[in-house]
C-alpha cells in the first residue's frame, strides 16, 4: 500500500467517477427498447440492468488487459496523465448526456487517455497499431454487423408471426425482451466495466504497485462493477429516450431482435479482447431493427447527429485530455488541483442545465426529443 500515494488515490476515485457516468450514459444500450415497448417498467429495467452489470464485471478481464497494457505504453504513463485523460472522458460523457446523444463512453475514455499520454509522454507513448486493431476497426465493423443481424432477425420475426394473433405476438416478444435485455446488461458488464478496471490497473502499474502486464486485482474488479452498476441504476433517462423513441418507433419483435443482436456482438468482442463501443452496437441494432420492419419510420436526422457524435468523440476527448495533461504535467500538484476544480465546475453547470428540462422515469416515453431548454412544464421527478 506504500505505492498508493494521494495522486494515485485521486486517479482511482476519478476512474470510478467515470465508471459511474459510463453506467448512466449506457443504460439505454440494454434497456431503452424494453422501456419503449412496455416490456419492463422503467425503474424495474434499470434495477435489473444495474445488478447484471455488476455480475458481468466478474466474467472476463480480457478487455481490461487491452486497456492496461495495449493502447498506451505503461512504462511511460504516469498517474497524472491518466487523471487528465479521465477528466476528458467524463466531461464528454456529461456533455453528450445533456444533449441526449448516445455517444461512446468507450471512445471518450480512449480519446482522453490517448490525448493525455501523447502530450505527457510523446507520440511514442501511444501504440497506434493497437488503437487501430482493438478500437478503430471494431468501431466501424461492430455497428454494421449488429445492424445487419438485427435487420435479418426483425424481418424473420415478422414473417414467422405474420398469421399469429397480434396480442399473443406482442406478449410473447415482450417476455423475450426481458431475457434479451438482461443479456445485454450482462454483456455490458463484461465489456464496459472492464475499461475502468484497465485504467485503475494501468494506474497501479505506473505507480509501481503492480508488475507490468498484471491483471486487475479482485478489489478493482469489485469496485468497478459496483460503480457502473450504481450509475446504471440511476438511469440515463435522456439517452434512454433518444435510443428508445428517437431513432424509430420500436415494437416488441424489433426490440427482441435488436437486443439479441447486441448481446451476440458484445459478448463475442469481450471474449476476443476488443474494447468496442456498446453504444454503437446497440444503436446499430436499433437502426437495423427499424429497417427490418416494413413501413417503419427511421428518423435519419437523429441517426445523423449520432454518427457525427461518434466521429468527434475520440478526438474531442483527446483534445480535452491533452489540454488537461499539459496543465497537470507542467503544474504538478497545483495543476492537478486546478484541473479538478475546473472539471467540478463544468460538471455542476451541466447538471444544473439538465434540470431546466428534466427527463426521468415518469416522462421518458412521452416524446422522442430531448431538449435542454425548458420549453414545457417539467414534472416532479429525479432528473438523470
Amino acid at each position: 500500500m506504500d505505492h498508493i500515494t494521494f495522486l494515485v488515490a485521486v486517479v482511482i476515485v476519478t476512474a470510478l467517477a467515470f465508471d459511474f457516468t459510463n453506467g448512466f450514459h449506457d443504460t439505454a444500450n440494454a434497456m431503452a427498447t424494453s422501456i419503449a415497448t412496455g416490456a419492463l417498467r422503467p425503474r424495474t429495467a434499470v434495477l435489473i440492468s444495474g445488478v447484471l452489470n455488476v455480475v458481468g464485471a466478474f466474467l472476463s478481464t480480457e478487455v481490461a488487459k487491452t486497456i492496461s497494457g495495449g493502447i498506451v505504453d505503461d512504462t511511460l504513463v504516469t498517474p497524472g496523465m491518466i487523471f487528465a485523460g479521465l477528466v476528458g472522458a467524463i466531461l464528454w460523457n456529461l456533455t453528450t448526456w445533456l444533449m441526449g446523444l448516445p455517444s461512446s463512453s468507450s471512445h471518450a475514455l480512449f480519446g482522453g487517455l490517448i490525448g493525455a499520454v501523447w502530450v505527457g509522454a510523446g507520440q511514442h507513448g501511444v501504440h497506434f497499431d493497437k488503437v487501430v486493431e482493438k478500437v478503430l476497426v471494431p468501431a466501424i465493423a461492430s455497428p454494421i454487423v449488429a445492424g445487419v443481424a438485427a435487420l435479418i432477425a426483425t424481418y424473420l420475426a415478422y414473417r414467422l408471426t405474420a398469421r399469429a394473433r397480434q396480442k399473443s405476438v406482442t406478449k410473447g416478444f415482450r417476455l423475450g425482451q426481458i431475457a434479451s435485455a438482461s443479456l445485454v446488461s450482462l454483456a455490458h458488464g463484461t465489456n464496459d466495466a472492464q475499461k475502468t478496471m484497465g485504467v485503475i490497473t494501468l494506474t497501479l502499474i505506473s505507480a509501481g504497485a503492480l508488475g507490468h502486464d498484471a491483471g486487475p486485482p479482485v478489489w478493482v474488479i469489485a469496485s468497478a462493477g459496483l460503480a457502473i452498476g450504481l450509475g446504471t441504476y440511476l438511469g440515463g433517462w435522456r439517452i434512454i429516450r433518444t435510443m428508445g423513441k428517437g431513432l424509430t418507433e420500436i415494437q416488441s419483435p424489433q426490440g427482441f431482435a435488436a437486443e439479441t443482436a447486441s448481446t451476440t456482438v458484445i459478448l463475442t468482442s469481450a471474449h476476443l479482447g476488443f474494447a468496442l463501443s456498446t453504444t454503437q452496437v446497440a444503436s446499430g441494432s436499433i437502426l437495423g431493427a427499424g429497417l427490418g420492419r416494413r413501413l417503419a419510420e427511421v428518423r435519419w436526422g437523429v441517426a445523423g447527429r449520432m454518427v457525427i457524435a461518434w466521429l468527434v468523440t475520440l478526438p474531442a476527448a483527446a483534445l480535452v485530455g491533452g489540454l488537461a495533461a499539459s496543465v497537470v504535467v507542467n503544474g504538478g500538484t497545483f495543476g492537478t488541483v486546478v484541473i479538478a476544480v475546473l472539471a467540478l465546475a463544468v460538471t455542476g453547470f451541466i447538471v444544473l442545465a439538465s434540470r431546466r428540462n428534466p427527463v426521468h422515469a415518469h416522462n421518458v416515453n412521452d416524446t422522442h426529443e430531448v431538449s435542454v431548454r425548458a420549453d414545457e412544464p417539467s414534472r416532479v421527478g429525479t432528473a438523470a
Side-chain angles (χ1 to χ4, degrees):
M1 297 297 290
D2 292 340
H3 297 281
I4 308 299
T5 63
F6 175 74
L7 179 57
V8 171
V10 168
V11 174
I12 292 173
V13 171
T14 307
L16 294 176
F18 165 78
D19 206 24
F20 177 82
T21 67
N22 191 352
F24 74 72
H25 200 279
D26 288 4
T27 309
N29 298 343
M31 291 300 174
T33 55
S34 293
I35 292 172
T37 63
L40 287 168
R41 292 181 180 275
R43 282 296 179 190
T44 302
V46 296
L47 175 60
I48 293 173
S49 186
V51 171
L52 290 175
N53 263 290
V54 176
V55 175
F58 286 88
L59 297 183
S60 172
T61 58
E62 291 303 316
V63 174
K65 293 175 182 176
T66 296
I67 304 298
S68 62
I71 63 174
V72 295
D73 188 341
D74 59 20
T75 62
L76 300 176
V77 174
T78 65
M81 295 178 201
I82 299 172
F83 171 74
L86 287 168
V87 168
I90 290 171
L91 293 182
W92 182 255
N93 264 1
L94 291 173
T95 300
T96 51
W97 163 76
L98 176 66
M99 297 185 292
L101 282 175
S103 68
S104 172
S105 298
S106 305
H107 291 176
L109 176 60
F110 301 147
L113 285 176
I114 289 170
V117 173
W118 196 340
V119 169
Q123 183 177 348
H124 54 284
V126 181
H127 297 154
F128 287 101
D129 57 335
K130 290 293 183 181
V131 172
V132 172
E133 175 190 351
K134 297 289 188 177
V135 178
L136 298 184
V137 171
I140 296 171
S142 59
I144 296 174
V145 172
V148 171
L151 188 154
I152 294 171
T154 300
Y155 174 77
L156 292 174
Y158 280 104
R159 284 296 301 269
L160 293 173
T161 59
R163 297 185 179 181
R165 292 176 57 195
Q166 184 62 38
K167 186 176 181 179
S168 299
V169 171
T170 299
K171 182 179 179 180
F173 276 110
R174 280 182 177 178
L175 290 173
Q177 274 193 275
I178 296 174
S180 59
S182 298
L183 285 173
V184 176
S185 296
L186 190 69
H188 185 261
T190 67
N191 199 284
D192 280 47
Q194 289 188 57
K195 292 159 189 170
T196 298
M197 296 178 207
V199 170
I200 295 176
T201 302
L202 179 62
T203 303
L204 296 173
I205 290 172
S206 68
L210 292 176
H212 294 292
D213 299 323
V218 174
W219 70 266
V220 172
I221 297 173
S223 59
L226 289 171
I228 199 170
L230 181 60
T232 300
Y233 174 68
L234 288 184
W237 304 112
R238 305 177 79 85
I239 298 176
I240 288 175
R241 175 180 285 181
T242 300
M243 294 278 277
K245 292 287 186 179
L247 285 171
T248 184
E249 292 296 328
I250 290 286
Q251 296 180 354
S252 54
Q254 295 168 283
F256 177 77
E259 291 159 0
T260 302
S262 295
T263 300
T264 303
V265 172
I266 295 168
L267 286 178
T268 301
S269 299
H271 176 71
L272 296 174
F274 292 142
L276 53 71
S277 165
T278 56
T279 300
Q280 291 182 359
V281 172
S283 301
S285 296
I286 292 172
L287 279 175
L291 294 171
R293 176 165 71 90
R294 189 168 175 263
L295 301 180
E297 176 191 4
V298 175
R299 299 185 181 95
W300 292 109
V302 176
R305 290 196 295 272
M306 287 172 50
V307 172
I308 291 173
W310 293 353
L311 293 175
V312 303
T313 289
L314 198 149
L319 177 62
V320 178
L323 291 173
S326 65
V327 177
V328 171
V329 171
N330 295 317
T333 302
F334 177 76
T336 302
V337 172
V338 168
I339 292 298
V341 171
L342 287 175
L344 288 172
V346 174
T347 298
F349 173 80
I350 291 173
V351 171
L352 289 175
S354 73
R355 295 183 181 279
R356 296 176 61 189
N357 196 1
V359 181
H360 43 73
H362 301 295
N363 69 1
V364 66
N365 284 332
D366 286 359
T367 179
H368 68 270
E369 296 179 347
V370 176
S371 175
V372 179
R373 295 183 303 171
D375 53 5
E376 61 183 13
S378 59
R379 300 180 183 181
V380 177
T382 303

